[in-house]
């Protein structure tokens, strides 16, 4: 059930956000260029901030490019 909820949430994020619809990429959110998206960086987008805990599959408090790719 959690997987289904995550999938639905990811699809909603990818289709409803104008930023994602315009092809916003990882680098857009990785504002400090360190190769990961921190919670602080994710807070720039309400939808990404909301999904952050589910996308952060390793629980380290950052989104890698691979974790972020789940929404694309």
């Amino acid at each position: 059930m959690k997987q289904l909820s995550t999938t639905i949430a990811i699809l909603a994020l990818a289709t409803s956000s104008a930023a994602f619809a315009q092809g916003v990429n990882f680098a857009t959110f990785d504002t400090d260029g360190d190769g990961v998206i921190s919670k602080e960086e994710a807070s720039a987008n309400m939808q990404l901030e909301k999904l952050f805990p589910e996308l952060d599959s390793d629980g380290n408090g950052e989104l890698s490019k691979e974790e972020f790719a789940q929404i694309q």
Side-chain angles (χ1 to χ4, degrees):
M1 184 66 171
K2 182 178 179 183
Q3 181 65 28
L4 178 60
S5 296
T6 300
T7 302
I8 292 170
I10 289 170
L11 287 173
L13 172 63
T15 59
S16 68
S17 170
F20 285 100
Q22 294 176 10
V24 173
N25 62 27
F26 182 87
T28 302
F29 294 106
D30 181 19
T31 57
D32 64 8
D34 66 354
V36 295
I37 299 171
S38 67
K39 287 182 181 181
E40 182 178 324
E41 290 168 323
S43 69
N45 180 284
M46 185 187 310
Q47 293 173 325
L48 182 57
E49 182 178 30
K50 183 177 177 180
L51 286 177
F52 193 96
E54 293 185 43
L55 293 173
D56 183 17
S57 59
D58 62 8
N60 70 349
E62 301 173 327
L63 297 181
S64 66
K65 288 181 181 180
E66 293 77 19
E67 290 168 327
F68 181 80
Q70 293 178 63
I71 62 172
Q72 297 180 328

